[in-house]
């Protein structure tokens, strides 16, 4: 093994390699970093060779995962070096270490441009590559014309032009305006005539990007692509160097075939004939050979050809060839081919009417669900989900349930969700549906979101025939020894409502039902306790006249919870207790729940309509399908559980049942008032849950305005009433016909405390947010999810940053494909403290509706706080040294909602206030220490003391001190105000 | 964008070469590399070469002690990437002569030069071994 040209580098690498453990490695690396730092400091003595060597060492250290926070300037400065070896290192290391937003890059724009327009083609290549890898907006603006010129220049050699093509692709992505569509379609068409396969490979990538954005404009290029494909497929004029195991550049074949999938159809008959000939040749002529590489390469081309045939969906005969091939693939031993077979079969389902043929392979696919390889199992699950219908739902769902008990944790959530959706969508009868969901909860309770059990309750409530069956089932499950809490919830709810229907069966007398439910009470969490209390009240209601013994037992429990710390439970206990003394009136107040209003979902209608015209745009559709299936995995779990399921359920037809006006329950004025308020708008699923929770509320948004009589369970009080102050700015254009289905102000408020969740949702789109905060930096990902089966158009997102924040939003695609989720990055830098809030101005079109909303973004002050842990010895001297205003300010906040000190401490923790437990000897005083970060200043230390007097008087004395002293007076006050403000906001 | 990153990791999980085509902070890289190594290195030869991770796929291939892991978008052609890995290995073979982990370790810069000629901005830029190696050979001659 020849040693590297740089001895010092080799020695260093070998030293690191010989380290016995991580600790030694770290020491060696720290030593080297120290050495490099010193050498860089007295740069005068440094030869270009040494500089180059050190910069490589930096890259090596960085690759090992160690932070290299200096020396960037030295790396960049090498770009301007006159000689190739130094210049090359400068370019490569810069593009590895820095990102496009790095300020240092500005310094070299000129040097880079000089290299690009210069005469030295090796320099041109280096510069184009770096800009292609990390060029940002500024590069796009200043370099695009030069790069274009190189690409189309006839005097440029291929080695420069291929790099220019991909460089332009980068610049185009940074700023689509750099490519003027009118002029470029002709240029592209010429470029596709290129003979050099290296240039053509790069140009094809550029072409795919352009055409995916606007296929209409590049229609003239379609025949050229077919020509390229013909040339490759027939192996005409292909240099040996571009033949891979006898196959003419498989990568270019794949890319070209992909490009063709962006055109909706091929109209010209000659082109069409030529294309189908090529495709036919690929489909028929790909044999399994011994050589793995050749096999893979030819199958890479084959799978891409399959995708194109599916996309064009024209020739019946060819389609059946495809299905036959895929059927063969999913049964082979070679795992890669099996995986791809399953994946492509799933895609195929979406496009054409091949369900019946695919069903023939059901047994094989079910076998793959038990494959030892999780990648294959996932594909099988997706396919089973896609191919399920009324005829095979029972088999598939039961298979999924069986698999659930052994499935890996990574898959259970998705599995549970899919089983629930299928069970509901294709249930042959409702008792089967109830069975499935209860089994699901039993086997994988942790992975069953609340929505699933809400839904089953809803079905049972709406179907009288089902009620005795569901109650009996629920009773059966209660006999099991270890019960998941969700099962306790659903059983308790159902038995509360319907256990009287079982009264004659053994073990189902009210007091037995009560006893078995009550066994669970000591072990369950607060929300479940609340449900159990309601169940007890219901049991009492059903046993009128009361059994004195049972009544005494239940009263004892109500009394026990009368002074319980959780308000919701306390209130229920108090109110049920009082109500239960009203005797017969109790029957009226607590009568059975009326039916849930059945809603004809507008989404469902659209889904049906969209199924009719599925021929076009399938490349996009395919991708979107994949994205949705991944979405289950990517985003915040809690929220995915809820929303995606919700959406799916919203789309689902309820098994035939007629909605009866709930007239027989007129005694229940209040509940009817809430429930029978049928929303004329397409009602999203979240509301369904809201309704379910309304009368039982303890979590989730208030469903409907509850008015009139005393509300026995006050849903409204249970949720923080924070909307008021914030609502003005958030409710966008009043003329919108599309209304949000979440309380925007509440969502904003919640996101001020959490780092991920839903920011906005209406019937068409859901905007989720996931944020990471590091000192004064914020890294937010916006998830824009299209809930429909048609695309959202003219999507526009503008950030209106307040003056104290620097914000940059990545490119938001103009169209969000059906059922797809796109992610946009939003970078935030905090410049100083301010109470202003950034706003996202979001607009999209759906059908004829234009929806425009202004959403406050949770990039608020407390996100730039980082708790600091200090000891009493450190805290109090600092604290005492702050001697009154303006360094230390005090204010009393009154009208604070009652909460325990623990809750208060948790609240502070979510505000990043860093409560230090036990620092103050008085248990009612909370002490906090946190740092506030903004760009260009060092962290500001904020100390706070909170004398809490909530229990008695509902007020808190807030005292806040801020270090360091010389901090700008005005700004300090703002920070202080803001902190106070954010507390008020929460309480 | 196609290829998101190319990672060479030995069977102890040590990174031997890393090239990212989307910017990730150091912490993100460390986390990502850890997760991927955990997921892929435990797999057997009988399992397929594709692993779904977060919202993209990893196409990987093992050569003796070295794993080549390529992160790609979901719509990328998996087999084409799998063979692209082999092309990279063959290119290294042609230059180093039966390449091994140590060659890549001690000639980090050469490995980078090769990758630089093969992939740019997450797209394949060249697949002819002669063209890929031409600049490196020129340099070797000059020095």
């Amino acid at each position: 093994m020849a040693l590297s040209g740089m001895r010092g580098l080799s020695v260093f690498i070998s030293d690191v390699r010989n380290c016995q453990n991580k600790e030694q490695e770290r020491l060696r690396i720290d030593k080297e970093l120290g050495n490099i730092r010193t050498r860089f400091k007295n740069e005068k003595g440094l030869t270009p060779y040494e500089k180059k060597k050190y910069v490589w060492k930096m890259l090596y250290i960085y690759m090992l995962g160690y932070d290299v926070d200096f020396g960037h300037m030295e790396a960049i400065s090498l770009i301007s070096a006159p000689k190739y070896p130094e210049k090359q290192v400068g370019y490569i290391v810069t593009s590895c270490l820095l990102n496009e937003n790095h300020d240092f890059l500005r310094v070299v724009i000129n040097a880079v441009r000089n290299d690009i327009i210069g005469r030295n083609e090796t320099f041109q290549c280096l510069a184009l590559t770096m800009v292609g890898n990390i060029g940002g907006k500024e590069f796009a603006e200043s370099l695009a014309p030069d790069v274009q010129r190189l690409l189309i220049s006839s005097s440029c050699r291929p080695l420069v032009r291929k790099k220019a093509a991909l460089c332009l692709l980068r610049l185009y992505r940074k700023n689509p305006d750099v490519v003027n569509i009118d002029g470029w379609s002709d240029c592209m068409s010429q470029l596709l005539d290129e003979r050099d396969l290296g240039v053509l490979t790069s140009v094809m990538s550029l072409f795919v990007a352009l055409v995916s954005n606007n296929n209409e404009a590049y229609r003239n290029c379609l025949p050229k692509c077919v020509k390229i494909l013909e040339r490759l497929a027939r192996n005409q004029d292909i240099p040996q160097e571009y033949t891979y195991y006898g196959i003419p550049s498989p990568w270019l074949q794949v890319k070209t075939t992909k490009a063709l999938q962006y055109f909706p159809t091929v109209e010209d008959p000659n082109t069409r004939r030529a294309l189908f000939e090529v495709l036919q040749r690929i489909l028929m002529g790909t044999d399994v050979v011994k050589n793995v590489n050749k096999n893979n390469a030819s199958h890479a081309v084959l799978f891409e050809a399959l995708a194109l045939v599916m996309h064009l969906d024209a020739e019946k005969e060819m389609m059946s060839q495809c299905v036959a091939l895929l059927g063969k693939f999913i049964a082979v031993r070679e795992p890669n081919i099996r995986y791809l077979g399953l994946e492509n079969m799933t895609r195929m389902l979406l496009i054409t009417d091949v369900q019946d043929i695919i069903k023939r392979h059901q047994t094989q696919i079910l076998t793959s669900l038990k494959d030892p390889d999780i990648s294959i199992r996932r594909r099988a699950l997706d396919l089973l989900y896609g191919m399920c219908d009324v005829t095979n739902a029972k088999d598939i769902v039961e298979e999924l349930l069986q698999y659930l008990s052994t499935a890996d944790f990574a898959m259970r959530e998705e599995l549970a969700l899919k089983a629930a959706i299928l069970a509901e969508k294709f249930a042959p009868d409702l008792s089967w549906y109830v069975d499935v969901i209860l089994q699901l909860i039993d086997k994988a309770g942790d992975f069953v979101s609340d929505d699933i059990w809400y839904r089953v309750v809803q079905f049972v409530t709406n179907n009288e025939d089902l009620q005795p069956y569901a109650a009996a089932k629920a009773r059966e499950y209660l006999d099991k020894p270890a019960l998941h809490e969700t099962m306790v919830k659903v059983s308790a709810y159902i038995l509360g409502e319907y256990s009287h229907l079982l009264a004659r069966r053994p073990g189902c007398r009210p007091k037995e039902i009560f006893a078995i439910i009550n066994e669970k009470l000591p072990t369950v969490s607060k929300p479940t306790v609340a449900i159990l209390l309601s169940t007890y009240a219901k049991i009492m209601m059903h046993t009128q006249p009361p059994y004195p013994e049972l009544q005494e037992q239940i009263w004892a429990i109500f009394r026990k919870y009368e002074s319980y710390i959780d308000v919701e439970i306390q209130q229920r206990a108090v109110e049920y207790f009082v109500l239960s003394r009203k005797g017969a009136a109790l029957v009226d107040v607590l009568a059975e729940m009326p039916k849930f209003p059945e809603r004809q979902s507008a989404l469902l209608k659209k889904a049906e309509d969209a199924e009719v015209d599925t021929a076009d745009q399938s490349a996009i559709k395919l991708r979107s399908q994949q994205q949705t299936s991944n979405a289950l995995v990517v985003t915040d779990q809690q929220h995915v559980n809820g929303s995606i399921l919700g959406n799916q359920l919203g789309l689902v037809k309820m098994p035939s049942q007629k909605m009866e006006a709930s007239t027989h329950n007129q005694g229940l004025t209040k509940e009817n008032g809430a429930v029978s308020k049928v929303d004329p708008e397409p009602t999203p699923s979240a509301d369904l849950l809201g309704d379910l929770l309304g009368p039982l509320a303890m979590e989730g948004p208030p469903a409907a305005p509850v008015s009139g009589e005393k509300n026995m369970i006050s849903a409204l009080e249970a949720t923080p009433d924070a909307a008021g102050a914030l609502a003005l700015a958030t409710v966008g254009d009043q003329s919108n016909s599309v209304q949000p289905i979440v309380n925007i102000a509440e969502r904003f408020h919640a996101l001020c405390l959490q780092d991920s969740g839903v920011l906005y949702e209406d019937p068409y789109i859901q905007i989720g947010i996931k944020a990471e905060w590091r000192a004064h930096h914020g890294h937010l990902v916006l998830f824009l999810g299209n809930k429909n089966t048609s695309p959202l158009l003219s999507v526009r997102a503008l950030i209106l940053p307040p003056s104290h924040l620097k914000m940059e939003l990545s490119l938001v695609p103009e169209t969000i494909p059906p059922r797809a989720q796109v992610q946009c990055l939003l970078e935030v830098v905090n410049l100083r403290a301010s109470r202003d809030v950034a706003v996202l101005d979001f607009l999209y079109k759906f059908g004829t509706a234009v929806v425009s909303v202004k959403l406050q973004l949770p990039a608020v002050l407390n996100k730039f706080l980082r708790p600091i842990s200090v000891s009493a010895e450190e805290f109090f001297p600092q604290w005492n040294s702050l001697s009154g205003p303006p360094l230390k300010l005090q204010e009393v906040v009154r009208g604070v909602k009652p909460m325990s000190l623990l809750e208060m401490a948790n609240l502070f923790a979510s505000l990043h206030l860093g409560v230090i437990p036990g620092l103050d000897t008085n248990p009612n005083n909370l002490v906090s220490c946190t740092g506030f970060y903004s760009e260009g200043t060092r962290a500001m230390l904020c100390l706070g003391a909170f004398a809490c007097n909530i229990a008695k008087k509902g007020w808190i004395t807030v005292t806040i001190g801020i270090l360091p002293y010389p901090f700008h007076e005005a700004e300090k006050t703002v920070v202080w105000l803001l902190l106070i403000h954010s507390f008020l906001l929460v309480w | 964008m196609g290829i998101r990153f190319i990672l060479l990791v030995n069977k102890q999980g040590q990174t031997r070469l890393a090239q990212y085509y989307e910017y990730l902070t150091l912490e993100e890289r460390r986390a990502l590399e850890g997760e991927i190594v955990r997921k892929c290195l435990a797999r057997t030869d009988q399992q397929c070469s594709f692993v779904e991770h977060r919202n993209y796929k990893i196409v990987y291939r093992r050569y003796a002690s070295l794993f080549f892991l390529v992160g790609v978008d979901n719509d990328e052609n998996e087999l084409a990437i799998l063979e692209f890995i082999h092309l990279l290995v063959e290119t290294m073979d042609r230059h180093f002569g039966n390449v091994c982990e140590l060659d890549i370790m001690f000639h980090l810069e050469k490995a980078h030069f090769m990758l630089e000629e093969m992939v740019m901005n997450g797209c394949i830029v060249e697949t002819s071994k002669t063209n890929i190696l031409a600049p490196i050979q020129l340099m070797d001659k000059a020095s």
Side-chain angles (χ1 to χ4, degrees), chain A residues 95-130:
Chain A
S95 58
C96 288
L97 290 181
L98 302 187
N99 73 353
E100 63 175 75
N101 299 319
H102 208 288
D103 287 339
F104 284 178
L105 280 179
R106 278 196 206 120
V107 182
V108 284
I109 286 196
N110 265 330
V112 174
R113 176 153 195 267
N114 286 338
D115 281 341
I116 286 180
I117 59 176
R119 290 288 162 92
N120 185 327
E121 59 183 18
T122 51
F123 289 6
Q124 283 178 323
C125 287
L126 288 176
L128 289 169
T129 309
M130 187 196 78

Side-chain angles (χ1 to χ4, degrees), chain A residues 52 81 206 309 473 481 573 587 592 602 658 872 947 949 953:
Chain A
K52 187 176 85 174
L206 173 64
V309 174
K473 274 277 156 188
V587 183
E592 247 167 61
K658 288 193 192 71
N949 221 331
K953 297 179 185 153

Side-chain angles (χ1 to χ4, degrees), chain A residues 215-512:
Chain A
N215 64 62
E216 198 50 47
Y218 294 94
R219 195 171 276 263
N220 58 336
C221 299
L222 198 153
K224 299 284 174 72
C225 293
V226 176
K227 279 226 169 67
I228 295 170
L229 216 49
E230 272 188 290
R231 177 185 164 198
L232 291 164
R234 289 166 198 245
N235 203 347
Q236 289 167 338
D237 181 26
I238 309 293
Q240 186 53 38
E241 267 301 312
Y242 285 98
T243 313
Y244 182 82
Y245 289 88
I247 296 161
S249 182
W251 301 283
L252 182 55
Q253 290 199 52
V254 164
K255 205 76 195 184
T256 313
T257 315
K258 186 148 278 169
L260 285 167
Q261 290 168 53
Y262 286 98
F263 293 100
T265 50
V266 184
E267 271 150 21
D268 174 57
N270 289 331
T271 314
R272 192 183 167 85
R273 198 176 321 116
L275 176 61
F276 276 98
E277 219 179 285
V278 174
L279 291 173
Q280 185 69 39
R281 184 192 285 255
I282 297 172
L283 289 191
M284 297 308 289
T286 309
D287 297 320
V288 179
V289 292
K290 257 204 161 150
N291 183 299
V292 179
N293 302 105
K294 182 172 182 155
N295 218 22
N296 283 341
S298 65
H299 280 79
V301 176
L302 174 61
F303 275 111
E304 210 57 58
L306 276 173
L308 180 55
V309 174
M310 289 191 260
H311 165 73
L312 295 171
D313 188 17
E315 309 279 308
K316 255 233 137 70
E317 198 180 320
M318 235 180 192
M319 286 302 288
S320 51
Q321 273 178 24
C322 290
V323 184
L325 271 174
L326 290 176
K328 206 173 84 192
F329 289 157
I330 62 168
V332 297
R333 275 193 55 196
E334 220 285 288
N336 287 344
I337 303 292
R338 205 159 68 235
Y339 173 94
L340 294 170
L342 290 167
E343 179 175 49
N344 281 283
M345 224 178 224
T346 313
R347 294 185 190 188
M348 188 158 228
L349 272 177
L350 285 167
I351 296 166
T352 47
D353 195 17
V354 288
Q355 201 132 0
D356 286 334
I357 318 179
I358 290 180
K359 267 194 228 159
R360 285 184 218 149
H361 302 285
Q362 191 168 316
T363 330
Q364 181 60 44
I365 300 167
L366 284 171
T367 321
S368 291
L369 192 61
K370 292 164 196 142
D371 197 278
D373 183 351
I374 187 169
S375 299
I376 290 178
R377 289 198 298 273
R378 272 191 199 284
R379 287 300 110 230
L381 175 60
D382 260 13
L383 178 53
L384 286 170
Y385 179 69
M387 65 191 275
C388 192
D389 63 15
V390 204
T391 63
N392 56 9
K394 242 179 151 157
D395 294 340
I396 290 183
V397 170
E398 271 155 28
E399 199 69 44
L400 295 184
L401 279 175
Q402 207 182 52
Y403 174 48
L404 194 58
S405 349
T406 51
D408 357 18
F409 282 99
M411 269 180 81
R412 283 199 190 175
E413 184 172 358
E414 195 179 343
L415 200 57
L417 189 58
K418 289 192 162 158
I421 293 170
L422 293 178
E424 168 163 346
K425 218 167 164 179
F426 302 116
D429 59 82
L430 286 172
S431 52
W432 179 78
Y433 169 73
V434 171
D435 281 348
V436 168
I437 301 299
L438 291 181
Q439 277 189 58
L440 208 58
I441 296 173
D442 186 38
K443 286 185 169 164
D446 285 341
F447 302 93
V448 173
S449 64
D450 282 344
D451 306 355
I452 295 178
W453 81 262
Y454 295 164
R455 193 69 177 151
V456 82
V457 163
Q458 216 172 353
F459 268 114
V460 173
T461 310
N462 284 9
N463 290 277
E464 270 169 52
D465 300 346
L466 201 56
Q467 290 161 0
Y469 180 79
K473 274 277 156 188
R475 175 68 189 78
E476 261 173 49
Y477 273 105
L478 282 178
D479 281 334
K480 291 190 98 177
L483 216 51
H484 193 273
E485 190 162 327
T486 305
M487 187 63 92
V488 176
K489 287 185 193 172
V490 68
S491 312
Y493 186 98
I494 291 178
L495 288 174
E497 291 288 330
Y498 307 113
S499 60
H500 60 285
L501 302 173
L502 303 176
R504 298 233 175 88
R505 303 194 192 187
C508 295
R509 281 179 300 160
K511 80 173 191 217
E512 286 164 316

Side-chain angles (χ1 to χ4, degrees), chain B residues 58-104:
Chain B
I58 296 151
V59 178
Y60 74 97
R61 210 160 174 160
R62 181 182 175 168
Y63 293 87
S65 64
L66 212 51
F67 285 82
F68 287 66
L69 309 151
V70 180
V72 294
D73 285 341
N74 273 318
D75 58 349
E76 198 60 42
N77 186 307
E78 294 89 345
L79 287 176
I81 297 295
L82 195 62
E83 283 319 296
F84 187 71
I85 294 177
H86 191 69
L87 178 74
L88 171 64
V89 174
E90 286 188 348
T91 309
M92 289 177 161
D93 267 346
R94 189 184 280 193
H95 182 78
F96 294 112
N98 209 358
V99 66
C100 67
E101 186 184 337
L102 291 184
D103 290 324
I104 295 167

Side-chain angles (χ1 to χ4, degrees), chain A residues 1-4 6 10 13-14 17 56 59-60 62-67 84 88 92 96-99 128-129 132-133 162-163 166-167 169-170 173 198 201-202 205 241-242 244-245 249 251 254 258 292-293 296-297 299-300 303-304 335-336 339-340 343 347 372-376 378-379 623 626 630 634 774 779 823, chain B residues 1 14-21 23-30 33 43 45-52 54-57 61 63 74-84 86-87 90 94 102-103 105-110 112-113 116-117 119-131 135 138-139:
Chain A
M1 182 203 65
L3 273 181
S4 155
M6 287 164 282
S10 299
I13 291 175
S14 140
R17 179 165 177 257
W56 273 119
L59 183 65
Y60 186 76
Y62 186 68
M63 184 192 79
L64 291 177
Y66 294 92
D67 202 6
Y84 184 77
Q88 183 188 34
I92 291 185
C96 288
L97 290 181
L98 302 187
N99 73 353
L128 289 169
T129 309
N133 283 332
K162 67 187 182 192
K163 307 222 161 173
L166 288 178
C167 183
L169 168 60
R170 169 94 189 183
R173 287 206 175 120
T201 306
S202 302
S205 287
E241 267 301 312
Y242 285 98
Y244 182 82
Y245 289 88
S249 182
W251 301 283
V254 164
K258 186 148 278 169
V292 179
N293 302 105
N296 283 341
H299 280 79
F303 275 111
E304 210 57 58
N336 287 344
Y339 173 94
L340 294 170
E343 179 175 49
R347 294 185 190 188
D373 183 351
I374 187 169
S375 299
I376 290 178
R378 272 191 199 284
R379 287 300 110 230
R623 227 154 301 118
Q626 286 185 320
N630 285 318
V634 194
R774 271 190 217 103
H779 180 81
Q823 302 182 5
Chain B
M1 77 129 47
Q14 294 162 314
T15 308
R16 289 303 177 219
L17 187 68
Q19 179 73 56
Y20 287 83
Y21 298 98
Y23 182 77
L24 297 179
T25 63
L26 192 69
E27 291 79 44
E28 287 165 337
R29 286 182 189 209
R30 257 190 297 207
E33 289 174 23
R43 291 171 63 85
D45 292 346
Q46 283 83 49
Q47 296 182 321
C48 70
S49 316
F50 320 123
V51 176
E52 292 164 25
R54 301 198 192 168
N55 54 343
Y56 53 88
K57 274 183 195 176
R61 210 160 174 160
Y63 293 87
N74 273 318
D75 58 349
E76 198 60 42
N77 186 307
E78 294 89 345
L79 287 176
I81 297 295
L82 195 62
E83 283 319 296
F84 187 71
H86 191 69
L87 178 74
E90 286 188 348
R94 189 184 280 193
L102 291 184
D103 290 324
M105 239 181 121
F106 284 99
H107 298 92
L108 184 67
E109 75 289 3
K110 294 247 169 78
H112 268 284
F113 299 156
E116 182 107 336
E117 290 298 319
V119 186
M120 183 177 153
N121 194 12
C123 300
I124 296 174
V125 60
E126 183 60 84
T127 58
S128 145
K129 287 181 267 246
T130 315
N131 288 350
L138 264 181
M139 282 233 303

